[in-house]
Amino acid sequence: MRVFSSTCTFDYSWEEVSTNNWRKYCPWNDKATHVIAVDTLSRHVDPSTGVLRTERLITCFQTAPAWVLALLGGTNTSHVYETSIVDPASKRVTMSSTNLSWSNIISCRETVVYEPDVKASSPGHERTQFKQEAKITALCGGWQKIRTKIEEASVERFGQNAQRGKEGFEDVLEMSRRAFREEGERREQLA
């Protein structure tokens, strides 16, 4: 098993980040063009706690060498199952995802947490901490050396995709802030 982990701070409030998390795979994010569809399987708010639990199926286009597809079977379309918990009382979003495609060969279990970054925030300038961890395990039989190479290559690619994902989410956050600001200005002019 290999582990990828990353942290960063978004220059946006937890409210902005947690709201825009649902827009992560929208036309504003030109870094997520590999996402073909996001289907919500279930969504439930616990009336006593206000906690929102959502299950989604994310369909992606993943490029794989033709020889890999020929050797192992499969297609360039893959599916990821995601569960998210939004706790407004503790201001914490936790998302867990796992690959459904190729799961007999490799397992990728990712956890992402968004929380207010109280140390980096100041009044009127709130920030949100992002923590990401992915555990990648090659399940294919054979020599340990082969499994290790598969895991190392997968962690490297995961890291590249994670960086692109953060950049794309920054774009979504900026576009959202701009859209809300422009709408507020428009309403002031009409008043």
Side-chain angles (χ1 to χ4, degrees):
M1 176 178 65
R2 296 288 182 268
V3 177
F4 170 85
S5 62
S6 174
T7 60
C8 76
T9 300
F10 288 109
D11 204 20
Y12 297 87
S13 69
W14 181 85
E15 289 78 9
E16 289 174 289
V17 170
S18 62
T19 299
N20 283 291
N21 181 53
W22 306 111
R23 297 184 183 107
K24 193 175 356 184
Y25 304 121
C26 74
W28 291 347
N29 186 350
D30 64 355
K31 308 265 189 315
T33 56
H34 66 290
V35 176
I36 300 168
V38 178
D39 298 299
T40 301
L41 305 174
S42 72
R43 180 168 280 163
H44 173 75
V45 175
D46 183 318
S48 62
T49 63
V51 171
L52 170 66
R53 176 185 165 83
T54 304
E55 296 177 60
R56 303 192 305 175
L57 178 67
I58 301 169
T59 305
C60 304
F61 177 78
Q62 299 290 345
T63 55
W67 67 268
V68 171
L69 295 176
L71 182 65
L72 302 175
T75 68
N76 281 331
T77 303
S78 63
H79 302 282
V80 175
Y81 173 75
E82 176 192 83
T83 302
S84 62
I85 306 290
V86 180
D87 186 341
S90 67
K91 290 191 172 186
R92 181 180 174 107
V93 175
T94 304
M95 299 184 325
S96 301
S97 62
T98 187
N99 61 304
L100 299 177
S101 302
W102 301 73
S103 59
N104 60 327
I105 297 169
I106 192 162
S107 167
C108 180
R109 299 188 182 278
E110 177 189 20
T111 302
V112 168
V113 176
Y114 296 103
E115 294 178 297
D117 189 338
V118 292
K119 291 180 183 177
S121 297
S122 60
H125 187 79
E126 297 174 33
R127 300 176 82 189
T128 302
Q129 187 174 51
F130 166 84
K131 296 177 190 171
Q132 178 182 37
E133 181 179 85
K135 296 178 180 176
I136 299 172
T137 307
L139 304 171
C140 53
W143 299 309
Q144 180 62 38
K145 197 171 193 176
I146 294 171
R147 288 195 303 268
T148 299
K149 288 291 185 190
I150 290 171
E151 290 172 355
E152 288 171 351
S154 297
V155 166
E156 182 179 335
R157 182 163 182 177
F158 192 95
Q160 294 166 352
N161 290 341
Q163 181 59 37
R164 219 172 19 260
K166 282 186 238 173
E167 292 168 4
F169 192 41
E170 282 275 0
D171 293 345
V172 169
L173 289 164
E174 176 57 33
M175 183 65 78
S176 176
R177 185 178 274 178
R178 188 178 318 131
F180 278 102
R181 183 178 57 244
E182 289 172 1
E183 178 62 18
E185 291 168 357
R186 188 187 69 78
R187 287 182 182 204
E188 283 179 10
Q189 290 175 350
L190 294 175

